[in-house]
Amino acid sequence: MEPKKLETQIRKTGFVLENQVAQILKSAGWTVISNKYYVDDFEESVREIDLVAYQVQKVQHFDVYTVLVVSCKKSESNVWALLARDINLRDPNSDWWPLHAWTNDKALLYQLDEPGAAKRYHEGGASLGVQEALNLPSVEVFAFQEMDRSSGSPQNDKPIFSAVTSLMKAQAYELGALPLRKKAPSIYQFNLLSVVDAELARLMFRGDDITATEVESEHYLARYIVKKKETFSRIRFIRSNVFADVLKDYGRLHQANAKWFGSLCDSFYNGIMKDYRRNNVLLDDFKKLVSWELVWRIRQTFNITVEIDSYWFHWDKEASHVSIGLKLEGKMVDFLNGDPQFNALTKSALEKIYRYAGSFVFEVDDIPF
């Protein structure tokens, strides 16, 4: 064995770059997982993603995770060329504001499912100091090629295509695995980065003209079929020599995520008792806190067992209180309104589930629809 040869030859692989990127991430405060394996849903084979890095911050009752899925590639003799043309942001077949986020919090999930949420997220990030991480692509990258650094001859697109597909499939795997392993209230926001130890060039196509320009970073909107569903993802190509500087903006993105998702949660609860769509989202959680005690109090007082199948909330504008409708006899509802113990429990449940600390009354459920 000749140790010097081993040391020299290993530098020709991408492992040195992967280690360098991991150390830069750790120094910037990111937790790093190396060489994570996942199952390719199409080929049913085990694949590997180079790095998964994340930062986490507690916001209100949930944790905010900003996740970087990173592919590291090295090319000693080739340039990574990204073929581009002018972008059409009005193209109805493209999603220029992809947001890949997962949450098990009902309030955040409701808000993220609202139309236009992804675009508002991008606009919110910009207003909170994110400089480049969420930028719209400045051009439309429609293809890519490795090209010989000396002769300029095209080679193939396999290493670049491999980086793109591995990032998207790894993201899909992580999004699918989270519901099984994450129980604490959380939200994860994903970013896909292709870090390359090679020159990076944009080949701009305009009419018959093609202009080559060296770039350090490029946003690429990738469209791919993952788990039999078309998906759009933002993939950012980054030259390894500028990765440390680029990473600073993802630190700003994490801080912006904490603020934006916190505000998103606040907006869900703001005026929630006046909006049946939102208060219905949390109705089962409210029922779990009060139903057993309600049934027990009625049985103790009236010697009858009742089943409470449904509750409803109605905002009484004139009285400025919440009416809680119950399918009970009038005398039972009157009893509950005068029962200090059950009123205290209901008040606590409304504050915990709905963040509502105002007044309320119980009413007989006689709504005909």
Side-chain angles (χ1 to χ4, degrees):
M1 183 178 71
E2 298 185 43
K4 289 297 181 182
K5 285 187 177 180
L6 298 180
E7 295 168 3
T8 299
Q9 293 302 315
I10 197 65
R11 293 183 183 277
K12 297 180 181 180
T13 71
F15 295 112
V16 174
L17 171 63
E18 182 180 324
N19 179 63
Q20 290 172 343
V21 171
Q23 296 308 317
I24 291 171
L25 285 161
K26 291 177 181 179
S27 297
W30 296 82
T31 300
V32 178
I33 304 171
S34 295
N35 308 112
K36 193 169 185 182
Y37 293 92
Y38 65 94
V39 177
D40 188 312
D41 68 293
F42 180 72
E43 299 181 2
E44 294 298 330
S45 59
V46 177
R47 293 189 177 275
E48 177 188 12
I49 190 67
D50 294 327
L51 299 168
V52 176
Y54 67 88
Q55 290 190 2
V56 59
Q57 182 172 334
K58 187 76 171 182
V59 177
Q60 299 180 32
H61 63 281
F62 57 91
D63 293 319
V64 175
Y65 289 82
T66 301
V67 183
L68 309 180
V69 183
V70 186
S71 169
C72 300
K73 299 287 186 183
K74 177 183 176 66
S75 182
E76 286 191 326
S77 58
N78 293 324
V79 174
W80 276 29
L82 308 177
L83 284 60
R85 55 193 169 213
D86 290 327
I87 196 167
N88 176 17
L89 296 179
R90 295 183 179 181
D91 181 358
N93 299 310
S94 295
D95 178 6
W96 300 113
W97 299 275
L99 170 59
H100 291 278
W102 175 89
T103 182
N104 56 359
D105 182 78
K106 292 179 180 179
L108 292 172
L109 183 60
Y110 178 91
Q111 296 292 76
L112 290 176
D113 281 343
E114 288 287 277
K119 185 176 181 181
R120 289 192 293 274
Y121 167 78
H122 284 76
E123 293 169 345
S127 69
L128 291 169
V130 180
Q131 297 175 3
E132 296 180 349
L134 298 178
N135 278 3
L136 286 172
S138 58
V139 296
E140 179 187 356
V141 174
F142 65 89
F144 22 73
Q145 279 283 300
E146 276 201 322
M147 304 183 74
D148 186 272
R149 179 181 290 107
S150 300
S151 67
S153 62
Q155 303 301 303
N156 58 65
D157 66 353
K158 289 183 179 179
I160 310 176
F161 182 75
S162 173
V164 169
T165 55
S166 65
L167 285 168
M168 295 187 71
K169 289 186 175 185
Q171 176 180 256
Y173 173 81
E174 292 296 334
L175 288 167
L178 281 169
L180 300 177
R181 70 170 185 251
K182 196 65 182 181
K183 303 304 178 184
S186 308
I187 184 162
Y188 287 68
Q189 184 268 326
F190 287 84
N191 305 273
L192 306 183
L193 309 180
S194 174
V195 181
V196 54
D197 184 3
E199 291 173 296
L200 197 61
R202 177 196 295 170
L203 294 183
M204 191 68 191
F205 287 63
R206 285 195 176 100
D208 294 330
D209 295 330
I210 302 175
T211 304
T213 307
E214 188 173 354
V215 295
E216 295 181 336
S217 172
E218 189 82 278
H219 290 277
Y220 166 54
L221 188 68
R223 181 186 307 189
Y224 201 75
I225 303 296
V226 178
K227 296 185 177 179
K228 300 180 180 180
K229 182 180 179 182
E230 185 178 57
T231 183
F232 290 86
S233 291
R234 177 201 308 275
I235 294 176
R236 191 170 182 191
F237 294 101
I238 306 168
R239 287 194 64 179
S240 59
N241 62 325
V242 300
F243 176 72
D245 287 334
V246 169
L247 184 62
K248 296 174 184 177
D249 200 41
Y250 289 92
R252 289 188 286 269
L253 174 62
H254 179 60
Q255 295 304 315
N257 278 343
K259 294 177 182 177
W260 195 83
F261 288 122
S263 297
L264 191 70
C265 187
D266 288 338
S267 67
F268 174 82
Y269 288 100
N270 185 28
I272 188 172
M273 304 315 292
K274 302 177 184 180
D275 182 351
Y276 77 92
R277 296 181 306 160
R278 282 184 285 154
N279 61 54
N280 276 347
V281 170
L282 304 178
L283 191 55
D284 286 343
D285 297 329
F286 175 78
K287 289 164 64 175
K288 288 178 183 178
L289 292 183
V290 302
S291 290
W292 187 91
E293 181 71 15
L294 187 156
V295 171
W296 184 83
R297 302 291 290 173
I298 294 295
R299 185 171 67 244
Q300 288 293 102
T301 304
F302 297 96
N303 195 30
I304 185 173
T305 299
V306 297
E307 292 186 8
I308 308 299
D309 297 325
S310 63
Y311 295 73
W312 56 258
F313 294 108
H314 169 68
W315 178 256
D316 190 323
K317 188 175 181 179
E318 292 184 1
S320 293
H321 68 218
V322 171
S323 297
I324 305 175
L326 301 168
K327 289 185 177 180
L328 293 173
E329 297 179 18
K331 62 182 180 180
M332 297 176 182
V333 171
D334 290 340
F335 162 72
L336 292 175
N337 277 319
D339 182 359
Q341 184 173 336
F342 188 68
N343 272 261
L345 174 66
T346 303
K347 182 177 185 296
S348 175
L350 287 171
E351 290 178 352
K352 181 176 181 179
I353 302 301
Y354 291 104
R355 301 185 184 179
Y356 174 74
S359 57
F360 61 90
V361 296
F362 298 104
E363 291 186 359
V364 176
D365 182 359
D366 60 356
I367 293 181
F369 54 87

